[in-house]
Amino acid sequence: MGVGLSQPKLQFWVLSRNRPVYLRQTLRSAVAQIQPWVQIIVSDNSDSDDAEHMVCSEFPEVTLVRRKPVLPALEHFKTILEQACADYITLFHDDDVLLDGYFTGLAQLLDNQPSAAAAVCDAKIIRGETFTEDLVVGASSAVRIFNTPSELLLPYLQFQRLGPAPFPAYMYRLEKIRGLSLNPEHGGKYADVSFLAEVVKRGSIVMHVAPLVAYRIHSANDNVSEHIGSRLRLLRYILRNTPWHPKSRPIQHFRFRYWSRWYRQQSNAGKHLRRVTVVRKFLVLFGLRLVFTKPGFWLRFFNRARK
């Protein structure tokens, strides 16, 4: 099928690849709150026909776009941005779920903030198949507005009370993001972070206080394994696009977080013996300094590590 409606107000794109069971949950949650001005589109980038058959047989109100041949992940993302034709768009993952009020809640934020480039919300966490009440961002009593890359990136870098919103929760004003895409030179597998920093350069990002999506954490998540090369590319991007320098607290917290995660994943220390030794020294020295100067850091560190 091709893209149907002439030009809806919102196109809700679901990026799908080989996960028809999760995709069914995603579509049920979206169809349950569909509005006349919303078009739900599955961009099926699967190797098999399972997802296509499921969508066509169970969700006649959903538009299916089948990608043949299968596109590389970054090309898939770029192609959707080029084909989108609505005022607002969402690029959703096929393993996450919408909660009540997503379409109306974020669209209203963008309606009320005509200069905003995007709106986003908090998310509840799904651990495997278990829905929890845990939040990705954390409690906030007021709408937050990010106006600069530094403001947006701080929750990604520094262990603070409020964390960063998950990438699939964003709703974009299409005219503000034309020409942007995920750039692997700006973060490798973490290029979604630099993408959002480029978005906020074009207009503010407004954050809804309520959790309007459920974000799934499972063994197949792309961020399960730490990739230091990608982290370093993202770090270089951040240092070029913010006032921070290598000794700034957010940068030091960021380094501590990704190196500690990498260190915990080393099951065979002999493979990277010299790096393990250097990283261990950095973690011990920096960790001791935080014990004496920022005792609240550790509570935030362990809370973030659980997510």
Side-chain angles (χ1 to χ4, degrees), residues 138-189:
S140 178
S141 59
V143 170
R144 301 162 65 195
I145 299 179
F146 304 100
N147 294 301
T148 67
S150 299
E151 292 174 358
L152 182 71
L153 292 171
L154 190 61
Y156 285 92
L157 308 183
Q158 186 169 296
F159 290 97
Q160 55 180 23
R161 185 175 62 88
L162 300 176
F167 188 58
Y170 281 79
M171 182 182 293
Y172 305 95
R173 191 185 306 276
L174 184 58
E175 66 178 17
K176 292 284 190 178
I177 65 169
R178 283 294 190 193
L180 292 181
S181 193
L182 298 176
N183 186 342
E185 295 302 315
H186 294 165
K189 65 182 286 187

Side-chain angles (χ1 to χ4, degrees), residues 14-84:
V14 182
L15 284 71
S16 173
R17 180 165 173 79
N18 299 333
R19 292 193 286 216
V21 175
Y22 283 159
L23 176 61
R24 178 181 288 110
Q25 295 182 30
T26 301
L27 293 179
R28 284 176 177 169
S29 72
V31 168
Q33 57 179 295
I34 193 171
Q35 301 289 329
W37 44 270
V38 175
Q39 182 184 19
I40 301 172
I41 308 172
V42 172
S43 182
D44 183 17
N45 201 35
S46 301
D47 297 307
S48 74
D49 298 330
D50 294 348
E52 179 181 10
H53 291 161
M54 185 271 294
V55 173
C56 292
S57 62
E58 298 181 27
F59 299 96
E61 61 274 85
V62 172
T63 301
L64 178 79
V65 180
R66 184 68 189 273
R67 307 297 178 182
K68 286 188 176 182
V70 171
L71 298 174
L74 295 183
E75 188 64 26
H76 187 202
F77 188 91
K78 180 180 178 182
T79 299
I80 291 175
L81 288 180
E82 291 172 346
Q83 294 181 345

Side-chain angles (χ1 to χ4, degrees), residues 104-124:
T104 55
L106 293 197
Q108 186 174 36
L109 281 184
L110 291 175
D111 289 344
N112 294 339
Q113 300 276 346
S115 64
V120 68
C121 60
D122 200 350
K124 293 183 179 181

Side-chain angles (χ1 to χ4, degrees), residues 132-144:
T132 76
E133 295 299 314
D134 297 338
L135 298 176
V136 174
V137 178
S140 178
S141 59
V143 170
R144 301 162 65 195

Side-chain angles (χ1 to χ4, degrees), residues 69 71 89 133 135 143 185 208 216 225 229 256 261 288 298:
L71 298 174
I89 67 166
E133 295 299 314
L135 298 176
V143 170
E185 295 302 315
H208 200 289
R216 193 185 303 270
S225 61
F256 184 84
R261 185 171 179 177
L288 288 174
W298 287 102

Side-chain angles (χ1 to χ4, degrees), residues 73-288:
L74 295 183
E75 188 64 26
H76 187 202
F77 188 91
K78 180 180 178 182
T79 299
I80 291 175
L81 288 180
E82 291 172 346
Q83 294 181 345
C85 60
D87 295 335
Y88 307 150
I89 67 166
T90 295
L91 303 165
F92 207 67
H93 293 172
D94 65 352
D95 54 350
D96 299 326
V97 174
L98 290 186
L99 302 180
D100 289 344
Y102 177 84
F103 294 144
T104 55
L106 293 197
Q108 186 174 36
L109 281 184
L110 291 175
D111 289 344
N112 294 339
Q113 300 276 346
S115 64
V120 68
C121 60
D122 200 350
K124 293 183 179 181
I125 295 175
I126 310 172
R127 300 190 186 280
E129 306 301 323
T130 304
F131 285 71
T132 76
E133 295 299 314
D134 297 338
L135 298 176
V136 174
V137 178
S140 178
S141 59
V143 170
R144 301 162 65 195
I145 299 179
F146 304 100
N147 294 301
T148 67
S150 299
E151 292 174 358
L152 182 71
L153 292 171
L154 190 61
Y156 285 92
L157 308 183
Q158 186 169 296
F159 290 97
Q160 55 180 23
R161 185 175 62 88
L162 300 176
F167 188 58
Y170 281 79
M171 182 182 293
Y172 305 95
R173 191 185 306 276
L174 184 58
E175 66 178 17
K176 292 284 190 178
I177 65 169
R178 283 294 190 193
L180 292 181
S181 193
L182 298 176
N183 186 342
E185 295 302 315
H186 294 165
K189 65 182 286 187
Y190 311 112
D192 54 343
V193 179
S194 56
F195 173 83
L196 293 173
E198 291 298 314
V199 171
V200 80
K201 291 180 182 180
R202 299 186 174 193
S204 59
I205 294 178
V206 188
M207 184 165 184
H208 200 289
V209 297
L212 302 178
V213 304
Y215 179 72
R216 193 185 303 270
I217 297 175
H218 55 89
S219 59
N221 280 132
D222 188 50
N223 59 358
V224 168
S225 61
E226 192 61 62
H227 192 283
I228 295 300
S230 292
R231 289 290 189 192
L232 295 177
R233 287 197 287 276
L234 177 59
L235 181 58
R236 286 193 290 270
Y237 170 86
I238 292 170
L239 292 173
R240 289 195 304 267
N241 288 272
T242 68
W244 295 319
H245 54 79
K247 297 297 183 181
S248 297
R249 185 170 65 178
I251 301 301
Q252 292 284 10
H253 282 203
F254 182 52
R255 294 179 64 223
F256 184 84
R257 179 161 62 88
Y258 69 70
W259 279 122
S260 62
R261 185 171 179 177
W262 177 85
Y263 184 80
R264 293 195 304 270
Q265 292 175 352
Q266 299 312 300
S267 58
N268 181 10
K271 186 177 179 181
H272 303 287
L273 184 58
R274 184 174 179 277
R275 176 181 282 184
V276 167
T277 302
V278 173
V279 169
R280 184 189 299 120
K281 181 178 179 181
F282 164 75
L283 294 176
V284 169
L285 293 177
F286 192 69
L288 288 174

